[in-house]
Amino acid sequence: MKKDIHPAYHTITVEMTDGTTYQTRSTYGSEGDTLKLDIDPKTHPAWTGGSQQLLDRGGRVSKFKNKFGGLGG
Protein backbone atom coordinates (compact mmCIF):
# COMPACT_ATOMS: atom_id res chain seq x y z
CA MET A 1 0.00 0.00 0.00
CA LYS A 2 1.04 3.58 -0.60
CA LYS A 3 2.06 5.51 2.48
CA ASP A 4 0.14 8.53 3.80
CA ILE A 5 -2.91 8.22 1.53
CA HIS A 6 -5.30 6.48 3.93
CA PRO A 7 -7.34 8.33 6.58
CA ALA A 8 -6.48 7.82 10.24
CA TYR A 9 -8.51 5.00 11.85
CA HIS A 10 -8.98 5.59 15.57
CA THR A 11 -11.35 5.15 18.53
CA ILE A 12 -14.29 7.55 18.96
CA THR A 13 -17.37 7.70 21.20
CA VAL A 14 -20.83 7.61 19.61
CA GLU A 15 -23.64 9.25 21.60
CA MET A 16 -27.18 8.08 20.81
CA THR A 17 -30.20 10.40 21.05
CA ASP A 18 -31.13 9.04 24.49
CA GLY A 19 -27.67 9.82 25.89
CA THR A 20 -26.23 6.29 25.85
CA THR A 21 -22.72 5.98 24.43
CA TYR A 22 -20.47 3.33 22.97
CA GLN A 23 -16.92 3.16 21.68
CA THR A 24 -16.11 2.26 18.10
CA ARG A 25 -13.33 2.74 15.56
CA SER A 26 -13.85 5.23 12.74
CA THR A 27 -12.22 7.73 10.42
CA TYR A 28 -14.51 10.46 11.82
CA GLY A 29 -12.75 13.35 13.57
CA SER A 30 -9.71 12.52 15.65
CA GLU A 31 -8.86 10.16 18.51
CA GLY A 32 -11.31 10.57 21.42
CA ASP A 33 -13.89 12.74 19.60
CA THR A 34 -17.62 12.27 20.24
CA LEU A 35 -20.11 11.80 17.39
CA LYS A 36 -23.59 12.91 18.53
CA LEU A 37 -26.39 11.35 16.49
CA ASP A 38 -29.51 13.32 15.49
CA ILE A 39 -31.35 10.18 14.40
CA ASP A 40 -30.64 6.60 15.46
CA PRO A 41 -32.41 3.20 15.37
CA LYS A 42 -34.14 3.94 18.70
CA THR A 43 -35.94 7.03 17.34
CA HIS A 44 -36.20 6.70 13.54
CA PRO A 45 -39.66 5.64 12.29
CA ALA A 46 -38.12 3.16 9.82
CA TRP A 47 -36.89 1.04 12.76
CA THR A 48 -39.55 1.81 15.37
CA GLY A 49 -42.56 1.42 13.07
CA GLY A 50 -43.94 4.70 14.39
CA SER A 51 -45.12 7.73 12.54
CA GLN A 52 -43.52 10.44 14.69
CA GLN A 53 -42.20 13.55 12.99
CA LEU A 54 -38.49 13.90 12.36
CA LEU A 55 -36.84 17.01 13.79
CA ASP A 56 -35.68 19.42 11.13
CA ARG A 57 -32.07 20.03 12.22
CA GLY A 58 -30.57 22.91 10.29
CA GLY A 59 -33.31 22.95 7.63
CA ARG A 60 -32.23 19.65 6.06
CA VAL A 61 -35.71 18.17 5.83
CA SER A 62 -37.26 21.30 4.37
CA LYS A 63 -34.36 21.68 1.93
CA PHE A 64 -34.89 18.08 0.77
CA LYS A 65 -38.65 18.57 0.39
CA ASN A 66 -38.12 21.76 -1.63
CA LYS A 67 -35.64 20.06 -3.93
CA PHE A 68 -37.46 16.75 -4.44
CA GLY A 69 -41.06 17.59 -3.53
CA GLY A 70 -42.37 17.25 -7.08
CA LEU A 71 -41.12 13.69 -7.62
CA GLY A 72 -43.42 10.70 -7.55
CA GLY A 73 -46.75 12.31 -7.74
Side-chain angles (χ1 to χ4, degrees), residues 1 8 17 19 27 30-36 39-40 45-46 48 50 52-53 56-57 59 61 73:
M1 287 194 285
T17 56
T27 58
S30 58
E31 182 76 29
D33 280 354
T34 300
L35 174 62
K36 294 183 180 185
I39 298 175
D40 63 25
T48 62
Q52 69 260 27
Q53 294 292 321
D56 190 359
R57 305 271 174 128
V61 175

Side-chain angles (χ1 to χ4, degrees), residues 41-57:
K42 294 179 183 178
T43 60
H44 194 282
W47 286 284
T48 62
S51 60
Q52 69 260 27
Q53 294 292 321
L54 296 176
L55 295 176
D56 190 359
R57 305 271 174 128

Side-chain angles (χ1 to χ4, degrees), residues 1-72:
M1 287 194 285
K2 293 181 180 180
K3 291 183 181 185
D4 302 324
I5 65 166
H6 300 286
Y9 192 60
H10 46 268
T11 304
I12 65 165
T13 302
V14 177
E15 184 177 331
M16 306 290 268
T17 56
D18 65 355
T20 59
T21 61
Y22 66 92
Q23 297 275 316
T24 189
R25 293 183 48 84
S26 175
T27 58
Y28 171 82
S30 58
E31 182 76 29
D33 280 354
T34 300
L35 174 62
K36 294 183 180 185
L37 300 179
D38 290 337
I39 298 175
D40 63 25
K42 294 179 183 178
T43 60
H44 194 282
W47 286 284
T48 62
S51 60
Q52 69 260 27
Q53 294 292 321
L54 296 176
L55 295 176
D56 190 359
R57 305 271 174 128
R60 293 183 201 132
V61 175
S62 56
K63 186 185 291 186
F64 179 85
K65 286 182 179 178
N66 288 340
K67 187 172 183 178
F68 298 106
L71 294 177

